[in-house]
Amino acid sequence: MGLWWIGLAGSLCLAGAAYWRRSLSGSGALAAVVLGTALYALGSASWFGTLIAFFLSSSLLSKWKQRRKAAAESGYEKSGRRDAVQVWANGGLGLALCAACAVRPEPALYAAFVGVMAAVNADTWATEIGGLSRSEPRSILTGRRVAAGTSGGVTPLGLAATAAGGLFIGAAAWLLQRLDAVAPGGLDSAAAAGAYGGAELLALGLVGGAVGSLADSALGAAWQRMYRCRVCGRELEARRHCGEAAEHIRGWRALGNDAVNVLGSMAGGAAALLVGVLLL
Ligand SMILES: [Zn+2]
């Protein structure tokens, strides 16, 4: 708890820069500061830093080749600027696991946390890198070709990005263990974070990322609400396109992209929890 101000200072700098660079909205920046500070206060440098690794890599990827992605992105429910709902959808479950580990330190809770962060990171990398794929995506459920930007569409490049995004979080968690050794937070949640070795953390990241991102794709394809633009005919996650309200064509109206992301990260966390228990 004693070093919580490092989390506050670090997240103020990063959220401020992200707000200035227009990758976070005002509410998103505030949510990111609360999330980052709480992860440091209840966890340690490795809990906090894993969130930062996701945040930095996904923000940089979003800005990369932005012009080429702008066309595909116009069909998504939300565009580049993350708001508070998206920040909590990506980090809320991770914070809940951190709080649980502060109360009752268990290495498996840290494994689940790595899985959750790997799932959201893998999903973001798959979207950002896979969106640049020149091959036509296929539906994860039916194997049929779908339009680029459709939920549940996968490409070989996107699947490679999924694996890389999960491994990246495992590698970040491994490197961050050294910071915990230098400046232990004083809570047993830091000790829980140190229970796994490097190869184990890479495995947790890969499993959490792959399961989470594929669950996200499958849920998106099966049940996420989808619309069709009445003007240009494109299938969309967004309710409006080309300046007009779009027509609801399928999916469960209550299930939007943020809810699908949360369910996907739960699946990634559960898979990593299982592997984490088996590894102990
Ligand atoms: Zn349109």
Side-chain angles (χ1 to χ4, degrees), residues 198-243:
E200 292 171 328
L201 287 168
L202 287 174
L204 291 170
L206 183 61
V207 167
V211 170
S213 187
L214 293 178
D216 186 296
S217 291
L219 285 168
W223 291 306
Q224 184 178 329
R225 61 181 177 227
M226 290 296 289
Y227 300 89
R228 181 182 289 120
C229 176
R230 293 177 202 268
V231 179
C232 70
R234 267 183 63 182
E235 282 195 18
L236 321 150
E237 292 179 354
R239 285 193 176 90
R240 295 184 68 83
H241 202 249
C242 296

Side-chain angles (χ1 to χ4, degrees), residues 2-60:
L3 296 172
W4 63 271
W5 55 270
I6 299 177
L8 176 62
S11 34
L12 268 177
C13 290
L14 287 168
Y19 176 74
W20 182 62
R21 291 197 48 155
R22 307 184 66 85
S23 52
L24 280 178
S25 71
S27 74
L30 183 65
V33 170
V34 172
L35 182 61
T37 307
L39 274 179
Y40 213 117
L42 298 170
S44 64
S46 58
W47 294 81
F48 172 73
T50 305
L51 173 79
I52 300 306
F54 154 65
F55 177 76
L56 280 181
S57 75
S58 58
S59 302
L60 291 175

